Amino acid sequence: MEDAARESIVSIQVDHVTKRFGTFTVLDDVTLHVQTGELIALLGPSGCGKTTLLRILAGLERPDHGRILLHGDEVTERRITDRRVGFVFQHYALFRHMTVTENVAFGLSVLPHAQRPSPGQIRKKVHDLLSLVQLQAMADRYPNQLSGGQRQRVALARALAVEPKMLLLDEPFGALDTKVRKELRRWLRRLHDELHITSILVTHDQEEALEAADRIVVLNQGHVEQIGTPDEVYENAATPFVYQFLGDVNVFHGRIAQNETVPKETHRQPPAERDSSDEHEVTFVRPHDLELSRSRTTTTQLEATVRLIIIAGSRVRLELMSKDSSQIISVELTKERYRELRLQQGDIVFVHPKQLHVFKMPGPSSM
Amino acid sequence: MALVLKQPSVLPGFGLTLGFALFYFSLIVLIPLSGLIVKTTTLTWQQFWHTVTEPRAMASYQLTFGASFLGALINGFFGSVVAWVLVRYHFPGRSIVDALVDLPFALPTAVAGIALTAIYSSNGWIGSYLEPLGLKVAFTPLGVLVALTFIGLPFVVRTVQPVLQDLDKEVEEAATTLGANRWQTFRAVIVPELWPALLTGMAMAFARSVGEYGSVIFIAGNMPLKSEITPLLIMTKLEQYDYAGATALGVVMLVVSFVLALMINLIQWWSGRRHTAS
């Protein structure tokens, strides 16, 4: 019950925010509400405006139009220092002439005299934060004596030291290698579950967003494409862009027939009143939503030839070529299914989708 | 030490370039300087000591090193301001100002001296306004300071400017999001980054000022014990065919300059070690 009450408190409100750099519109009328204690991922390709939105929230940029409200107070014109946000930069932005301890203590040591904790209190706080990010042993090192992952943890501890009301992370793991990135992503998620600090994570890595966030905001060319839980945006993409951005997808121009037994296809966009020539239908199917069989069971199945088999860990990826349109179709199978089918290169298989989405696209069909 | 530094490299010729570098350095720097010292040894110890400690020499050291040091300090502050403005602000004519900074480098020093004298003399553009205030610049030690500040400026600007340009803007933003005000950000984040470059620039401005001759002699008035710089004293001795006496003063300048340069290098090494150690 209490959780539900807390969840309903909106802590960050982005209200019709527009930002232009010269003639280029970076953010186009973006509206977004973030609940207290939530971890939101801003996901999108580079240049979609996600970092700009984050910087506007922090007060590092000013919107041309629109308002920012933090806990109900308008802060659009307020100074950065008064907003109480923690910001974590992609390239750490640590003070390289200060030790780890001095870096973490920075936010406390610049407080006005009256609010500044005593040196003893600062020392204790820094120690606590360093144990939170598991870096007690590195307290006296300088940033360039640390690995990338360690540096980013120092940056996080430094941001948390001032007890921010929200934490903004700008591609925090973007400069790290895959393994460290995955570890830190999970660690961040656990940390968030512990601290419940309202957080916004900017990323272009869909896997990172799907794994770490409570909700995902997909941005494209300055506008919000979709907001939803990771499962929602992945399974029920609102637009073709979201579909393509979140994971691999097969695109079929025109409508492909669907097996009777599978769930009803979902129209996300309003169905056209009549078939006009400046619209065409495009079908999206994820590789793991395609089912293969050795023999034709219904007339609607696509006939295709196996061109390539890639066994990657527990999954098997196949590249098929459809017989009618010579289109390349990628399929993902579990290893068991692959063994059952006993597929070889050059085999003829029959494909049918278990789940698909049809979108109406402007412009005549290109195929 | 050289052997320790020799690491396998894709570029050949380490031995060759090392040999050449040492030869070249000897030819250009070491041999002339040893000539200076050898010439000085024609004096006896008493003669040497007498020459380098006579009141006129002592006064000239004080003026030369004192004015150079002050000039370097002034340039350290205002040069940084100029570099800051050139890097951080875009204003009409910025590239012209940027080019003008190099002028004290390029201008023949005598021209600079004459120009400064004309402006600061009692009937000059600036001098005529300073005179009623009781400030005499031309033909006083203050004039020496003005000339040395003039020629030292580009050293500070040109060493600080690139560092300021490369300064990671995110570090400043990080400080701001952590609650630091502008002054705190400047003092705790920007100054430590600039410090090594600033020190180098000031050291170079200082070194240049110590050896400056052309621009100073016009504005200084060259009154013995008052506004006479050591290089001029050396020239005076040369004109009197007192070659050994001139080299004796030269050796003093050499030793003092070397010791100061060494100290500055040590300070730089010490401040640089902290964030380049790994």
Side-chain angles (χ1 to χ4, degrees), chain A residues 37-40 173 183-196 211-215:
Chain A
E38 233 184 346
L39 202 169
I40 290 269
F173 313 132
E183 276 169 25
L184 275 185
R185 179 198 297 165
R186 280 168 202 155
W187 173 81
L188 178 75
R189 183 64 236 188
R190 283 198 305 274
L191 191 74
H192 182 265
D193 291 340
E194 231 173 272
L195 302 175
H196 285 296
E211 211 174 290
D214 294 321
R215 286 197 300 155

CSV table of all heavy atoms in Angstrom, one decimal, chain A residues 37-40 173 183-196 211-215:
chain,number,residue,atom,x,y,z
A,37,GLY,N,11.7,7.5,-6.9
A,37,GLY,CA,12.3,6.2,-6.7
A,37,GLY,C,12.5,5.4,-7.9
A,37,GLY,O,12.9,4.2,-7.9
A,38,GLU,N,12.1,5.9,-9.1
A,38,GLU,CA,12.1,5.1,-10.3
A,38,GLU,C,13.5,5.2,-10.9
A,38,GLU,O,14.2,6.2,-10.8
A,38,GLU,CB,11.1,5.7,-11.3
A,38,GLU,CG,10.2,4.8,-11.8
A,38,GLU,CD,9.2,5.4,-12.9
A,38,GLU,OE1,9.2,6.6,-13.0
A,38,GLU,OE2,8.6,4.6,-13.6
A,39,LEU,N,13.8,4.2,-11.7
A,39,LEU,CA,15.0,4.3,-12.6
A,39,LEU,C,14.5,4.2,-14.0
A,39,LEU,O,14.0,3.3,-14.5
A,39,LEU,CB,16.0,3.1,-12.3
A,39,LEU,CG,17.4,3.2,-12.7
A,39,LEU,CD1,18.3,2.1,-12.1
A,39,LEU,CD2,17.7,3.3,-14.2
A,40,ILE,N,14.7,5.4,-14.6
A,40,ILE,CA,14.2,5.5,-16.0
A,40,ILE,C,15.4,5.5,-17.0
A,40,ILE,O,16.5,6.1,-16.7
A,40,ILE,CB,13.5,6.9,-16.2
A,40,ILE,CG1,12.2,6.9,-15.4
A,40,ILE,CG2,13.4,7.3,-17.6
A,40,ILE,CD1,11.0,6.5,-16.2
A,173,PHE,N,28.3,4.0,-18.6
A,173,PHE,CA,29.2,2.8,-18.9
A,173,PHE,C,29.6,2.8,-20.3
A,173,PHE,O,30.2,1.8,-20.8
A,173,PHE,CB,28.4,1.5,-18.5
A,173,PHE,CG,27.8,1.6,-17.1
A,173,PHE,CD1,26.4,1.2,-17.0
A,173,PHE,CD2,28.4,2.1,-16.0
A,173,PHE,CE1,25.8,1.3,-15.7
A,173,PHE,CE2,27.8,2.2,-14.8
A,173,PHE,CZ,26.5,1.8,-14.6
A,183,GLU,N,28.7,-5.9,-15.7
A,183,GLU,CA,28.8,-6.0,-14.2
A,183,GLU,C,28.3,-4.8,-13.5
A,183,GLU,O,27.5,-4.8,-12.6
A,183,GLU,CB,30.3,-6.2,-13.8
A,183,GLU,CG,30.8,-7.6,-13.9
A,183,GLU,CD,32.3,-7.6,-13.7
A,183,GLU,OE1,32.8,-6.7,-13.1
A,183,GLU,OE2,32.9,-8.6,-14.2
A,184,LEU,N,28.7,-3.6,-14.1
A,184,LEU,CA,28.4,-2.3,-13.4
A,184,LEU,C,26.9,-2.1,-13.6
A,184,LEU,O,26.3,-1.5,-12.7
A,184,LEU,CB,29.2,-1.2,-14.0
A,184,LEU,CG,30.5,-1.0,-13.4
A,184,LEU,CD1,31.2,0.3,-14.0
A,184,LEU,CD2,30.5,-0.8,-11.9
A,185,ARG,N,26.3,-2.5,-14.7
A,185,ARG,CA,24.9,-2.3,-14.9
A,185,ARG,C,24.1,-3.0,-13.9
A,185,ARG,O,23.2,-2.4,-13.3
A,185,ARG,CB,24.6,-2.8,-16.3
A,185,ARG,CG,23.2,-2.8,-16.8
A,185,ARG,CD,23.1,-3.7,-17.9
A,185,ARG,NE,23.9,-3.4,-19.1
A,185,ARG,CZ,24.2,-4.3,-20.1
A,185,ARG,NH1,23.6,-5.5,-20.0
A,185,ARG,NH2,24.9,-4.0,-21.1
A,186,ARG,N,24.4,-4.2,-13.6
A,186,ARG,CA,23.7,-5.0,-12.6
A,186,ARG,C,24.0,-4.4,-11.2
A,186,ARG,O,23.0,-4.4,-10.4
A,186,ARG,CB,24.2,-6.5,-12.6
A,186,ARG,CG,23.5,-7.2,-13.8
A,186,ARG,CD,24.0,-8.5,-14.1
A,186,ARG,NE,23.6,-8.8,-15.5
A,186,ARG,CZ,24.2,-9.6,-16.3
A,186,ARG,NH1,25.3,-10.3,-15.8
A,186,ARG,NH2,23.8,-9.8,-17.5
A,187,TRP,N,25.2,-4.0,-11.0
A,187,TRP,CA,25.6,-3.4,-9.7
A,187,TRP,C,24.8,-2.1,-9.5
A,187,TRP,O,24.2,-1.9,-8.4
A,187,TRP,CB,27.1,-3.2,-9.7
A,187,TRP,CG,27.5,-2.4,-8.5
A,187,TRP,CD1,27.8,-3.0,-7.3
A,187,TRP,CD2,27.8,-1.0,-8.4
A,187,TRP,NE1,28.2,-2.0,-6.4
A,187,TRP,CE2,28.2,-0.8,-7.1
A,187,TRP,CE3,27.7,0.0,-9.3
A,187,TRP,CZ2,28.5,0.5,-6.6
A,187,TRP,CZ3,28.0,1.3,-8.9
A,187,TRP,CH2,28.4,1.5,-7.6
A,188,LEU,N,24.6,-1.3,-10.5
A,188,LEU,CA,23.8,-0.1,-10.4
A,188,LEU,C,22.4,-0.4,-10.1
A,188,LEU,O,21.8,0.3,-9.3
A,188,LEU,CB,23.9,0.7,-11.7
A,188,LEU,CG,23.1,2.0,-11.8
A,188,LEU,CD1,23.8,3.0,-11.0
A,188,LEU,CD2,22.8,2.4,-13.2
A,189,ARG,N,21.9,-1.5,-10.7
A,189,ARG,CA,20.5,-1.8,-10.5
A,189,ARG,C,20.3,-2.2,-9.0
A,189,ARG,O,19.3,-1.8,-8.3
A,189,ARG,CB,20.1,-3.0,-11.4
A,189,ARG,CG,18.7,-3.5,-11.3
A,189,ARG,CD,17.7,-2.4,-11.7
A,189,ARG,NE,16.7,-2.2,-10.7
A,189,ARG,CZ,15.7,-1.4,-10.9
A,189,ARG,NH1,15.4,-0.8,-12.0
A,189,ARG,NH2,14.8,-1.2,-9.9
A,190,ARG,N,21.2,-3.0,-8.5
A,190,ARG,CA,21.2,-3.4,-7.1
A,190,ARG,C,21.3,-2.2,-6.1
A,190,ARG,O,20.5,-2.1,-5.2
A,190,ARG,CB,22.3,-4.4,-6.7
A,190,ARG,CG,22.0,-5.8,-7.2
A,190,ARG,CD,22.9,-6.8,-6.5
A,190,ARG,NE,24.3,-6.5,-6.6
A,190,ARG,CZ,25.1,-6.9,-7.6
A,190,ARG,NH1,24.6,-7.6,-8.6
A,190,ARG,NH2,26.4,-6.6,-7.6
A,191,LEU,N,22.2,-1.3,-6.5
A,191,LEU,CA,22.4,-0.1,-5.7
A,191,LEU,C,21.1,0.7,-5.7
A,191,LEU,O,20.7,1.2,-4.6
A,191,LEU,CB,23.5,0.7,-6.3
A,191,LEU,CG,24.0,1.9,-5.5
A,191,LEU,CD1,24.9,1.3,-4.3
A,191,LEU,CD2,24.9,2.8,-6.3
A,192,HIS,N,20.5,0.8,-6.8
A,192,HIS,CA,19.2,1.6,-6.9
A,192,HIS,C,18.1,0.9,-6.1
A,192,HIS,O,17.4,1.6,-5.4
A,192,HIS,CB,18.8,1.7,-8.4
A,192,HIS,CG,17.5,2.5,-8.5
A,192,HIS,ND1,16.3,1.9,-8.6
A,192,HIS,CD2,17.3,3.8,-8.6
A,192,HIS,CE1,15.4,2.9,-8.7
A,192,HIS,NE2,16.0,4.0,-8.7
A,193,ASP,N,18.1,-0.4,-6.1
A,193,ASP,CA,17.1,-1.1,-5.2
A,193,ASP,C,17.3,-0.8,-3.7
A,193,ASP,O,16.4,-0.9,-2.9
A,193,ASP,CB,17.1,-2.6,-5.5
A,193,ASP,CG,16.6,-2.9,-6.9
A,193,ASP,OD1,15.9,-2.0,-7.5
A,193,ASP,OD2,16.9,-4.0,-7.4
A,194,GLU,N,18.6,-0.6,-3.4
A,194,GLU,CA,19.0,-0.3,-2.0
A,194,GLU,C,18.6,1.1,-1.6
A,194,GLU,O,18.1,1.4,-0.6
A,194,GLU,CB,20.5,-0.5,-1.9
A,194,GLU,CG,20.9,-1.4,-0.7
A,194,GLU,CD,22.4,-1.6,-0.8
A,194,GLU,OE1,22.9,-2.5,-1.5
A,194,GLU,OE2,23.1,-0.8,-0.2
A,195,LEU,N,19.0,2.1,-2.5
A,195,LEU,CA,18.9,3.5,-2.2
A,195,LEU,C,17.6,4.2,-2.6
A,195,LEU,O,17.2,5.2,-2.0
A,195,LEU,CB,20.0,4.3,-2.8
A,195,LEU,CG,21.4,3.9,-2.5
A,195,LEU,CD1,22.4,4.7,-3.3
A,195,LEU,CD2,21.7,4.1,-1.0
A,196,HIS,N,16.9,3.6,-3.6
A,196,HIS,CA,15.7,4.1,-4.1
A,196,HIS,C,15.7,5.6,-4.5
A,196,HIS,O,14.8,6.4,-4.2
A,196,HIS,CB,14.5,3.9,-3.1
A,196,HIS,CG,14.1,2.5,-3.1
A,196,HIS,ND1,13.5,1.9,-4.1
A,196,HIS,CD2,14.1,1.6,-2.1
A,196,HIS,CE1,13.2,0.7,-3.8
A,196,HIS,NE2,13.6,0.4,-2.6
A,211,GLU,N,17.7,-4.1,-19.3
A,211,GLU,CA,18.1,-4.8,-18.1
A,211,GLU,C,18.0,-4.0,-16.8
A,211,GLU,O,17.7,-4.5,-15.8
A,211,GLU,CB,19.6,-5.3,-18.3
A,211,GLU,CG,19.8,-6.6,-17.5
A,211,GLU,CD,21.2,-7.1,-17.8
A,211,GLU,OE1,21.4,-7.6,-19.0
A,211,GLU,OE2,22.0,-7.1,-17.0
A,212,ALA,N,18.4,-2.7,-16.9
A,212,ALA,CA,18.6,-1.9,-15.7
A,212,ALA,C,17.3,-1.1,-15.3
A,212,ALA,O,17.1,-0.8,-14.1
A,212,ALA,CB,19.8,-1.0,-15.8
A,213,ALA,N,16.5,-0.7,-16.3
A,213,ALA,CA,15.5,0.3,-16.0
A,213,ALA,C,14.2,-0.2,-15.5
A,213,ALA,O,13.8,-1.4,-15.9
A,213,ALA,CB,15.3,1.2,-17.2
A,214,ASP,N,13.4,0.6,-14.8
A,214,ASP,CA,12.0,0.3,-14.4
A,214,ASP,C,11.2,0.6,-15.7
A,214,ASP,O,10.2,-0.1,-16.0
A,214,ASP,CB,11.6,1.1,-13.3
A,214,ASP,CG,12.3,0.8,-12.0
A,214,ASP,OD1,12.5,-0.4,-11.8
A,214,ASP,OD2,12.6,1.7,-11.2
A,215,ARG,N,11.4,1.8,-16.2
A,215,ARG,CA,10.7,2.2,-17.4
A,215,ARG,C,11.7,2.7,-18.4
A,215,ARG,O,12.8,3.2,-18.1
A,215,ARG,CB,9.7,3.2,-17.1
A,215,ARG,CG,8.5,2.7,-16.4
A,215,ARG,CD,7.3,3.6,-16.4
A,215,ARG,NE,7.6,4.9,-15.9
A,215,ARG,CZ,7.0,6.1,-16.2
A,215,ARG,NH1,6.1,6.1,-17.1
A,215,ARG,NH2,7.4,7.2,-15.6
